Amino acid sequence: MPSRVPDLVRGRPEPAPGAPRRGWRRAVATAGLAVVPVVLAALVLLPDLVGLDHHLPFAVFAALRPLLTVLVAAGVVLALVVRLHRPRRRRAGAVGLAGVAVVVALAAALVVPRAIAEEPPPPGGTPLTVLSFNAFEGHADVDALAEVIRRERPDLVVLPEAGDRFRARIAALVPGYRSWTNVPARAADVRGIVVLASPRAGDVTARTISDAPGTPTDTRYPWAEVTGGILGPVHLGAVHVVSIVPGWIGYWPGELELLQRWCSRPGGGSLVVGDVNATPDHSAFRSGTRGCADAATERGESLTATWNAGWPRAVGAQIDHVLTSGGPRAREVTVLDVPGSDHRALLVHLRL
């Protein structure tokens, strides 16, 4: 067997026929332990940084980033505890764990500042109180909502998913408030937005913004604009952006971009109030609201979920917003529970 002599002379046995393949597989497995967990963590916690959050399921991951960051961080801690009890684990696993920890730290750096209130606005200016509440296809408890309105006395109330039927019911319970809806009487409540104005709001008016296909205001649900009275030169957009669900998400980024109608409006100032179906963790939200400030973020309340109201407040997402631009500033933000809806209400005290 002359071909094996050199190996015998050098004292090395001939490699088994399957050894190279086993080594290749071991290398791939080692690389996988280091890379795959990091990639998965980034896809779940940071999809907005590469635009994946315009698509499902990444849009949902972005909406739930605060909760998912906590869960993945807990997983990192648990994995670290396991490694401390098993110190002979592969080094590649340690590299992967460190990479996931870095991703968690980046996600936390994007989330945590939203729980810290900024400096409050200076005193002075006209006080304005706004209430936003999704009426859940007109099924919200009108008696409970009326009690909130009578107690808090908001100047303006914006109620997405409320049409003429809901408008008539709530208006009867809050005498003195004028009311509008932006859909015909025969339209389903889910399509409409009801606006209420207190006597203090003065001579405000509301008008429907066209949702005709192909127009610059093409939205699945019609929006409204409120002007005059206590608002002065400020224009208020009452909005309901489509949900991030199959069949609708294709329209979602474009509808968010239409918020620039108010956020980039020159002079006078603007407010955007309603169900935006997005959070600051969505790149489309940040793009569409460029020029606006989120009232809840300014006041350190951005991590309190307004949806789903059936879950604890630390779980879910704050998708209902009051946005300000060009002068109006938020002084106080409160999230309120109102029965009969899958949303919580957002009560914002501002200075114009």
Side-chain angles (χ1 to χ4, degrees):
M1 299 176 17
S3 63
R4 303 183 64 179
V5 171
D7 283 328
L8 293 173
V9 171
R10 287 192 291 267
R12 292 200 311 267
E14 182 179 18
R21 180 171 296 178
R22 287 196 297 270
W24 177 82
R25 289 176 177 172
R26 187 179 298 112
V28 170
T30 299
L33 283 174
V35 175
V36 171
V38 180
V39 172
L40 291 177
L43 290 175
V44 170
L45 298 182
L46 304 172
D48 56 307
L49 299 189
V50 290
L52 285 175
D53 63 323
H54 286 206
H55 312 280
L56 291 172
F58 304 104
V60 177
F61 295 160
L64 299 176
R65 176 150 66 195
L67 171 64
L68 293 174
T69 299
V70 173
L71 294 178
V72 176
V76 169
V77 172
L78 179 61
L80 181 60
V81 170
V82 170
R83 288 193 62 83
L84 290 176
H85 286 81
R86 298 180 181 180
R88 294 184 180 179
R89 304 284 291 181
R90 290 183 180 180
R91 181 177 298 178
V95 173
L97 186 60
V100 172
V102 170
V103 173
V104 169
L106 290 173
L110 296 172
V111 169
V112 171
R114 306 209 317 263
I116 303 172
E118 300 177 10
E119 287 293 322
T126 302
L128 177 74
T129 301
V130 175
L131 178 69
S132 176
F133 177 57
N134 184 306
F136 190 40
E137 302 180 6
H139 299 310
D141 187 327
V142 289
D143 294 311
L145 176 59
E147 176 58 30
V148 170
I149 294 173
R150 289 192 294 263
R151 182 182 72 240
E152 302 295 344
R153 303 303 299 173
D155 300 300
L156 296 169
V157 180
V158 175
L159 304 172
E161 296 196 23
D164 194 60
R165 286 180 291 275
F166 193 87
R167 182 204 61 78
R169 294 168 63 204
I170 189 64
L173 299 175
V174 287
Y177 276 78
R178 292 187 296 146
S179 61
W180 300 264
T181 184
N182 65 338
V183 291
R186 64 182 182 279
D189 280 299
V190 68
R191 288 196 50 76
I193 297 175
V194 165
V195 175
L196 304 175
S198 73
R200 181 177 177 272
D203 190 23
V204 298
T205 59
R207 69 181 185 90
T208 301
I209 297 175
S210 170
D211 63 344
T215 70
T217 54
D218 181 14
T219 57
R220 298 326 96 185
Y221 303 115
W223 295 355
E225 186 169 69
V226 183
T227 55
I230 193 174
L231 291 172
V234 173
H235 287 211
L236 184 152
V239 304
H240 183 198
V241 176
V242 293
S243 304
I244 48 176
V245 294
W248 290 103
I249 193 169
Y251 302 107
W252 176 72
E255 291 201 4
L256 286 169
E257 197 64 33
L258 292 176
L259 298 179
Q260 283 293 297
R261 174 191 186 98
W262 295 285
C263 290
S264 64
R265 177 176 171 267
S270 298
L271 291 168
V272 179
V273 182
D275 179 1
V276 181
N277 271 310
T279 78
D281 291 307
H282 287 116
S283 60
F285 176 89
R286 297 193 297 269
S287 174
T289 63
R290 187 176 55 254
C292 277
D294 180 37
T297 299
E298 285 192 318
R299 303 275 44 89
E301 292 290 339
S302 180
L303 302 185
T304 304
T306 59
W307 182 91
N308 186 304
W311 303 342
R313 289 181 167 221
V315 180
Q318 187 173 114
I319 60 175
D320 301 271
H321 298 273
V322 172
L323 308 172
T324 66
S325 175
R329 291 286 306 280
R331 293 190 299 111
E332 184 181 353
V333 174
T334 306
V335 178
L336 303 172
D337 287 280
V338 181
S341 176
D342 58 346
H343 286 245
R344 294 184 177 94
L346 199 63
L347 181 72
V348 180
H349 296 278
L350 305 114
R351 292 279 181 178
L352 297 180

